[in-house]
Amino acid sequence: MIEVINVKKRYSTETMIVKGVSFTVKPGIIYGLLGPNGAGKTTLMQMMATLLKPTEGSIRICGKDVSEDPIGIHRQIGFLTTEVKLDPLSTPNKLYDFFAALYDLPEEGICERKARDFDRFGITPFADKRIVELSTGMKQKISICISLIHEPPVIIFDEPTNGLDILTSKQVTDYLRELAKEGRTIIMSTHIFSLAESLCDEIGVLVDGAIVASGSAEELCRLTGKDTFEEAFFALYEANHKEGAANAR
């Protein structure tokens, strides 16, 4: 489970990036943070992954405060962000083995697990090619395999389908659905309406660092009185974005 409790993040005395955000994600749920670039999605993800410390508030994962035991939290989460770069001269095989050793995974099960993961995502034919030679989609699939190599109960993905073609995107989203059915707790950020609507059980609409509404796509449509989820998002954005709200007044 993920619990975010009145979290704020300030980079300077004048710049508040995240403004008192609170939400809970239970096991078996896919929770989506939907918002434009600059809304604070990545900052929230990085705080959940212990890469940044909240200025105020707290984050609990599997019942533990992330600030008290960050190393222990790392074993409970799988974190993927487009900002993570793979060693361009390494290979999928070597990277997988390296991270398996990093997590102290038993050697006897690694080959079987690697074969399973690589076959799922079509990585096997490219297992010994250098990362620099691979496509963006293949790199993303390798990153997913590595980030989940320790089978964590909590998954934190920042823009998991960013830059992917439609076939690779479907592979990724189908996999996330399977993980949710297994009881994993999943939170992802996105700026893609169709992805949030089709994949997420609950969506938090993030505007200017604050969640202005949350619920399923259908619930957000009812809340705003709109026929489509895209229209519902824009209604919420225009009502809460500082410039839009000022113009409305």
Side-chain angles (χ1 to χ4, degrees):
M1 177 183 287
I2 301 172
E3 297 171 276
V4 177
I5 306 164
N6 194 31
V7 165
K8 300 178 182 179
K9 182 62 180 177
R10 186 191 300 275
Y11 286 117
S12 70
T13 56
E14 298 180 357
T15 306
M16 184 76 79
I17 304 300
V18 177
K19 305 170 183 176
V21 167
S22 297
F23 59 85
T24 299
V25 189
K26 296 180 180 179
I29 295 296
I30 301 178
Y31 185 96
L33 285 171
L34 177 69
N37 292 338
K41 302 188 300 297
T42 296
T43 299
L44 266 171
M45 293 285 183
Q46 290 176 338
M47 287 191 286
M48 283 183 273
T50 77
L51 299 181
L52 293 174
K53 289 185 177 180
T55 304
E56 296 181 33
S58 63
I59 299 171
R60 298 181 66 83
I61 291 179
C62 299
K64 297 181 179 180
D65 192 305
V66 299
S67 64
E68 294 177 358
D69 183 19
I71 301 300
I73 292 297
H74 291 170
R75 293 189 174 275
Q76 299 296 315
I77 66 172
F79 178 56
L80 178 67
T81 173
T82 54
E83 294 181 6
V84 174
K85 306 300 181 184
L86 302 174
D87 179 358
L89 299 182
S90 189
T91 68
N93 261 333
K94 290 178 180 178
L95 285 172
Y96 198 96
D97 292 345
F98 172 80
F99 280 93
L102 194 65
Y103 280 104
D104 295 322
L105 299 180
E107 291 185 12
E108 60 269 18
I110 293 303
C111 290
E112 182 180 344
R113 187 181 301 181
K114 184 198 297 184
R116 178 199 66 191
D117 292 346
F118 280 17
D119 285 347
R120 166 186 286 278
F121 287 111
I123 299 171
T124 304
F126 307 94
D128 292 309
K129 286 187 174 293
R130 294 187 303 171
I131 297 299
V132 70
E133 300 175 287
L134 302 179
S135 68
T136 298
M138 188 59 63
K139 292 174 185 176
Q140 181 76 333
K141 290 188 286 188
I142 294 162
S143 296
I144 290 172
C145 289
I146 289 171
S147 65
L148 302 181
I149 194 171
H150 54 306
E151 299 184 334
V154 174
I155 297 164
I156 303 168
F157 276 3
D158 187 14
E159 302 279 3
T161 63
N162 192 35
L164 303 184
D165 61 60
I166 55 175
L167 295 178
T168 305
S169 293
K170 187 177 187 306
Q171 283 184 304
V172 172
T173 55
D174 286 349
Y175 188 41
L176 290 176
R177 288 189 182 98
E178 288 181 29
L179 293 172
K181 287 181 180 179
E182 293 174 3
R184 314 285 185 95
T185 303
I186 301 173
I187 181 168
M188 53 168 277
S189 68
T190 185
H191 60 273
I192 304 172
F193 299 115
S194 58
L195 179 62
E197 185 175 14
S198 64
L199 184 61
C200 299
D201 302 295
E202 187 174 355
I203 302 161
V205 177
L206 195 65
V207 178
D208 295 340
I211 291 182
V212 300
S214 62
S216 67
E218 294 80 5
E219 289 170 340
L220 293 172
C221 286
R222 288 197 297 269
L223 175 68
T224 56
K226 300 298 182 180
D227 295 327
T228 69
F229 176 59
E230 184 173 341
E231 291 174 334
F233 171 82
F234 281 117
L236 290 166
Y237 181 79
E238 290 171 4
N240 292 279
H241 179 50
K242 55 188 178 182
E243 292 180 5
N247 290 337
R249 290 195 294 269

